[in-house]
Amino acid sequence: MTKGPGAPAAAHPGRPAAAPPAPGIWNIANVLTMVRLLLVPVFVALLFADGGHDPKWRSVAWASFAIAMITDLFDGELARRKGLVTDFGKIADPIADKAIMGAALIGLSVLGDLPWWVTAVILARELGITLMRFWVIRFGVIPASRGGKLKTLTQGIAVGMYVLDLHGWLATGRAVLMGLAVLLTVGTALDYVGQALRLRREGTAAEHADR
């Protein structure tokens, strides 16, 4: 049967299908990440507005922090589901996460609302785990665990409650939640260290076996 001039050509049976085009940097996942980065200085300005202890300004600061946390929940998931993973997103997403959380922790400690040791423990953990991932990246990637995701959620809620001007049982509740966040921070760090050491040991053994 002869094909008409407008009929599409049949794919060559032995020729592999063309790979889908790589996603551009301007996609919804990356835009959400950029929004989170841009919210960092906005959040800091709102947190310290009018001396840093005005309940109204603290409520507005909490709103900006909440928006940043919500974008964190959606950008990575959208990138994976929609095939929008880019090199920019891989670098910018963790930077945005640590920037907004670090700004909140340091800001709250500067204002005297959160003990400095809590800020030091959490930031040291985040920096240490990031460096450790690079230390073992040639042998494999350490996936985020359920404990790590629970830690992130607990930290986000606890820090958000500290941004608000809370009193009474709510203030007590946020202190308890922050204590749980610190425990999860330390516990998951130890778990990641164990995974990293095991991954590096197994990778090194495999390299020696191939020689």
Side-chain angles (χ1 to χ4, degrees):
M1 182 177 175
T2 305
K3 294 180 182 179
H12 193 284
R15 184 181 302 165
I25 187 174
W26 291 106
N27 61 64
I28 183 61
N30 285 345
V31 168
L32 288 175
T33 299
M34 293 178 200
V35 167
R36 190 157 71 258
L37 281 168
L38 292 174
L39 278 173
V40 175
V42 174
F43 165 74
V44 172
L46 293 170
L47 182 65
F48 284 92
D50 199 15
H53 294 287
D54 185 287
K56 293 180 180 178
W57 282 113
R58 292 290 284 262
S59 296
V60 180
W62 174 86
S64 67
F65 181 79
I67 292 172
M69 291 294 100
I70 291 171
T71 65
D72 183 30
L73 292 175
F74 286 105
D75 59 357
E77 189 66 22
L78 280 171
R80 288 186 291 270
R81 287 191 177 186
K82 303 294 185 180
L84 302 176
V85 177
T86 63
D87 290 338
F88 172 83
K90 292 177 184 178
I91 297 172
D93 183 62
I95 290 175
D97 296 345
K98 291 171 176 56
I100 189 68
M101 184 59 69
L105 290 167
I106 294 172
L108 290 168
S109 292
V110 168
L111 291 171
D113 295 327
L114 186 68
W116 274 107
W117 70 265
V118 173
T119 295
V121 167
I122 294 177
L123 293 184
R125 185 267 190 200
E126 297 303 326
L127 178 60
I129 295 301
T130 299
L131 293 176
M132 188 183 63
R133 287 180 185 274
F134 284 110
W135 182 54
V136 300
I137 195 169
R138 57 181 282 207
F139 302 110
V141 176
I142 304 175
S145 65
R146 290 184 179 179
K149 293 177 181 178
L150 179 61
K151 178 270 303 179
T152 301
L153 178 63
T154 307
Q155 277 184 8
I157 296 174
V159 170
M161 292 180 71
Y162 270 88
V163 172
L164 289 169
D165 183 42
L166 301 180
H167 303 280
W169 67 270
L170 286 173
T172 302
R174 72 182 180 185
V176 172
L177 190 60
M178 183 59 78
L180 176 60
V182 171
L183 289 176
L184 288 170
T185 296
V186 175
T188 54
L190 295 175
D191 177 56
Y192 281 133
V193 168
Q195 290 187 57
L197 293 175
R198 184 167 56 253
L199 185 61
R200 187 173 179 84
R201 183 171 60 251
E202 291 173 353
T204 302
E207 284 185 346
H208 286 240
D210 292 337
R211 291 176 181 174

